[in-house]
Amino acid sequence: ELKRQANDAFRKGDIRSAIKGYTAALQSIPMNCGEGSDRMRMESTLFSNRAMCHLKIAETNSSTNKNDDMQQSLKGCIEDCDSALDRLDLVGGDSSSSNNNNLRGKVLYRRAKALVTSSQTNIQSNDDEKEKNLNAAAKDLLQLLSFDANNKEAAALLRAVRSLHGQIGGGMGRSRISRALDLLRGRMTNDDDNTIASRNEDKDNNMDNLTCLRVLQGSLAEESSSYADEIGRRGGVHLLMQIARRGIVSKSDDKVCRTAAIHILSTCCSHDSFILKYAGRDSLSPSVLAQIVEEEASSLNNSNEEGSVDVSVATMALLIRLIVHWDNREATRYFASKINEDGTTEN
C-alpha cells in the first residue's frame, strides 16, 4: 500500500512525497515482506524508485541553479542505487533473469546518469574527481549494454561520457589512456618534467612502463573500438611503434614491453576504421615491421645478443593483419568499378 501511494505521488509530480512514501515502505518491509529473496527484490525496487526521485529533484535544482541541493540529491541517488544493486546481488540465481536484468539495467543507468551529472555540475570537484565519476559511469553503462545491447539511452550516455573525458584538463583529456600514453611518452624521451605527465598524481607517476601498457590493453579489452580510436587520436601509433622498435629508456621488462606495444597495435588494427584513420603505410610501414622481425631473428642466431621470439612473432602477426587489410582494400577498389549492376564483371 505504501509503495502504491508513493508511485501515485510520483506520477502526479509530487516527488518529495514519493520519496517519503518509498522511505516508509522500506521501513515497513521487515513486517510485511518476510525474509529471503522476496524481501531483497522488494527492497531493491524501492531503492531504485527512490533513486529516480532523487534524480528528478537534481534535474529540477539544476534548472534553478541550486547547486548544493542538486549535489545532495545526486548523492542520494547514487547511494540508493548502490543499495539496490547490493540487494540484487544477494538475490542471485533465485530471481528471474529477465526481471532481474530489467531492474538492474534501470539502476545502472540511473547511477551512471547521476555520476555524469555530478561530474558536470559539482563546482567543488577537481579533474581527478570528475574523471573518477566518468570512469564509474562508463563501467555501469558497459555492464548495462552487455545484457541490453540495444539500449539507445545507455549508448547515447556512454558516447557523452567519452566526449566529456576529452574535455577534462583544459581539453587535453585526462582519461586513463591519456595518462598512460603521456607517461610512456615522457619516458621515451627520458623527460621527467613532461608537461602533461607531470600534472598527474604521484600514484600515476609511480606506474611502471609495463603497467602503463597493461592499462591500454585493459581498456581495449573493455570496449576496443572507441578506446582504439582514442589511442589513435592521442598519437599512440607513433609512440607504440617507437617502443616496439627500441624499447623504453628504462630497460626493465624491455622485451615484455615491446611485445605488449605490438599487441596493442594489433588489437587496434582489428578495426578497419582505425587502420583507415591512423595506420596507413606511412604510419605502420611494412618495411619497418619487417626490419623488426629480421633484427630479432638475427639476434636469436647471434650467441652474443639476445633476441625475442615473442617480439618477432607479434610483429609478424601485425604485419600479416595489415597486409591482408591493405590488399583487400586495394582489390575492392580495383574490382568495384568493374562490377555491373546485374552482378557480372567486365572482361
Side-chain angles (χ1 to χ4, degrees):
E1 176 65 21
L2 290 171
K3 178 176 177 289
R4 184 188 62 78
Q5 292 176 0
N7 288 342
D8 288 342
F10 182 84
R11 280 192 291 269
K12 294 175 182 176
D14 190 354
I15 308 301
R16 296 192 183 279
S17 292
I19 289 178
K20 292 179 181 178
Y22 292 129
T23 301
L26 281 165
Q27 294 170 346
S28 70
I29 283 180
M31 295 179 289
N32 296 340
C33 200
E35 301 293 335
S37 60
D38 288 341
R39 173 181 173 178
M40 292 297 102
R41 278 194 291 271
M42 177 58 73
E43 286 187 357
S44 182
T45 300
L46 291 170
F47 276 118
S48 174
N49 290 354
R50 195 170 71 178
M52 184 65 212
C53 292
H54 286 306
L55 197 56
K56 285 285 186 182
I57 290 177
E59 291 172 353
T60 300
N61 287 330
S62 175
S63 62
T64 57
N65 295 319
K66 295 180 179 179
N67 193 272
D68 289 343
D69 291 343
M70 177 173 56
Q71 297 307 320
Q72 191 62 38
S73 295
L74 291 171
K75 180 181 177 183
C77 175
I78 293 168
E79 289 175 349
D80 278 352
C81 287
D82 291 343
S83 298
L85 290 170
D86 287 343
R87 283 153 180 78
L88 280 176
D89 290 339
L90 290 174
V91 171
D94 294 335
S95 64
S96 166
S97 178
S98 61
N99 289 338
N100 193 26
N101 280 346
N102 183 51
L103 180 55
R104 184 179 296 275
K106 291 179 179 178
V107 177
L108 287 170
Y109 180 79
R110 288 165 186 171
R111 185 167 69 177
K113 192 169 184 180
L115 287 165
V116 173
T117 304
S118 180
S119 73
Q120 291 180 281
T121 59
N122 191 345
I123 58 178
Q124 296 180 346
S125 63
N126 56 35
D127 281 351
D128 290 325
E129 291 168 340
K130 291 177 182 178
E131 185 183 26
K132 180 180 178 181
N133 284 341
L134 290 174
N135 286 340
K139 184 177 179 181
D140 281 348
L141 293 167
L142 288 169
Q143 182 183 345
L144 192 168
L145 290 167
S146 71
F147 58 79
D148 186 8
N150 295 321
N151 191 313
K152 294 181 179 180
E153 288 184 322
L157 187 57
L158 183 59
R159 288 194 296 271
V161 170
R162 301 272 195 260
S163 176
L164 289 168
H165 256 305
Q167 297 173 22
I168 296 176
M172 293 299 296
R174 298 243 320 145
S175 71
R176 53 187 172 178
I177 287 178
S178 171
R179 289 202 305 269
L181 291 173
D182 289 339
L183 288 169
L184 290 169
R185 189 173 290 112
R187 289 163 187 171
M188 284 299 294
T189 59
N190 205 16
D191 179 9
D192 293 332
D193 295 321
N194 180 276
T195 55
I196 300 175
S198 63
R199 293 201 310 252
N200 296 325
E201 295 292 336
D202 289 341
K203 59 182 176 62
D204 292 327
N205 286 319
N206 288 334
M207 285 198 303
D208 61 26
N209 301 325
L210 185 57
T211 300
C212 290
L213 292 164
R214 295 293 186 231
V215 166
L216 300 180
Q217 289 180 310
S219 298
L220 291 170
E222 288 180 13
E223 215 283 307
S224 60
S225 179
S226 62
Y227 282 133
D229 187 73
E230 183 174 357
I231 290 173
R233 283 188 289 107
R234 298 189 183 283
V237 172
H238 177 69
L239 173 63
L240 292 168
M241 275 297 290
Q242 283 184 300
I243 295 172
R245 291 187 69 182
R246 60 186 179 90
I248 309 179
V249 171
S250 171
K251 295 299 182 182
S252 175
D253 296 323
D254 182 69
K255 294 176 185 176
V256 180
C257 287
R258 293 177 65 203
T259 304
I262 298 165
H263 282 314
I264 292 166
L265 285 170
S266 188
T267 302
C268 290
C269 290
S270 65
H271 304 281
D272 285 350
S273 60
F274 179 90
I275 298 179
L276 291 173
K277 290 181 183 177
Y278 310 110
R281 292 179 185 269
D282 293 336
S283 302
L284 286 176
S285 169
S287 61
V288 172
L289 292 171
Q291 183 181 359
I292 293 174
V293 175
E294 292 173 2
E295 288 174 352
E296 295 305 313
S298 176
S299 296
L300 286 167
N301 293 328
N302 188 335
S303 59
N304 296 323
E305 298 182 37
E306 293 187 9
S308 170
V309 174
D310 290 337
V311 171
S312 183
V313 171
T315 305
M316 282 192 290
L318 173 59
L319 181 56
I320 291 169
R321 183 191 291 277
L322 290 167
I323 289 173
V324 169
H325 170 85
W326 290 328
D327 286 351
N328 284 341
R329 290 279 300 176
E330 288 169 5
T332 301
R333 188 162 49 244
Y334 176 78
F335 285 110
S337 60
K338 300 180 180 295
I339 299 176
N340 300 319
E341 292 183 1
D342 60 0
T344 61
T345 58
E346 297 177 3
N347 294 327

